[in-house]
Amino acid sequence: RKVGAIGKPGYQWEARIVDERGQDVAQGEIGELAVRGPGVMLCYYKNPEATAEILCDGWLFTGDMARMDEEGFIYLVDRKKDVVISGGENLYPVQIEDFLRRYDKIKDVAVIGLPDKRLGEIAAAIIEIKEGVACTEEEINAFCKELPRYKRPRRIIFDKVPPEPHRQDRKACSAGEVLPRAAGGGANDTLNIAGPSAPYLCVMWGLPGPTPRVTFCVDKKSPKNHTEGETLSMGFLPRDPLFRDD
C-alpha cells in the first residue's frame, strides 16, 4: 500500500530526515536520511576525518536524500552528492529522470548538473532515444511543461546513456586530473585526462571507441558551452562505458 517506500526503521533502529545543519526537517520535506541503531558502524578504520563527516552522536548520515510520511514510511529521492542546486533550488536528478522516462520515445535518460554563471548550476538531460524513432528538443521541452519551471532541464543532449552499473557520479571531471577507473576496467587503474581541454571543465561520456568523446565542454572562466563533440587525448583508453567524477 506504500508504493515506492523503503519501509520503516526496524527494531531498535531510529531514522531522521535532517537539513544541512543536522536539524529535523518538517514532515514530508526532503532532507538527508540519518539512522541510529545497533548495526551502525563505529568508524572508518584509521580515518577519523572521514568518520567525522558521517557519524555524529551515534547517528549515521547516509548521504541519501529522502522524505518521511505521516506514518513514518521513508521514501528515497536521490543521492546527496547528485543534487543540482540551481538558483537556490534543489533539483533531484532521479525525479526528473523518472518523469522523462514516461515519454514513449525515450529509451533511457541521465540528468546531471552543468555550471552556470547566473544560476550556479543548471540541469542537463542526456537522452537516448529508442531505435528507429525520431525526436526533437522541441518535443522534449513541450513534454517537460508538465514539470514546475525550475525543474525543467535547461539543456537537452541526445546521446547514448551508459547502462546503470557503469555510471559513476554525475559531476563533471576536470581535464588534467588523474581519476580512478570504473569498476571492471582493465589492468591500468587510473585515467589521465590531458590535452588541449585543460582550461575547461569537461563532462566525459566515455563510450567505447578510438577516443572517448566529450559530450560537452565548459570554459571554467566563462561558464558556457564551449565545444560539443570535442575529443581529449588519453593516456590510455577505457574498455567499458563509464562516467567520470571529479
Side-chain angles (χ1 to χ4, degrees), residues 17-19 23-31 66-69:
I17 309 296
V18 301
D19 60 21
Q23 303 298 312
D24 291 349
V25 303
Q27 180 193 300
E29 289 188 2
I30 295 172
R67 62 181 177 86
M68 185 183 295
D69 69 14

Side-chain angles (χ1 to χ4, degrees), residues 36 39 46 58-59 79 96 98-99 121 142 148 160 195 226:
R36 183 167 66 181
K46 293 185 178 180
W59 289 95
R79 290 291 292 167
I96 303 172
D98 288 345
F99 172 82
E121 286 184 293
K160 289 187 178 296
H226 184 71

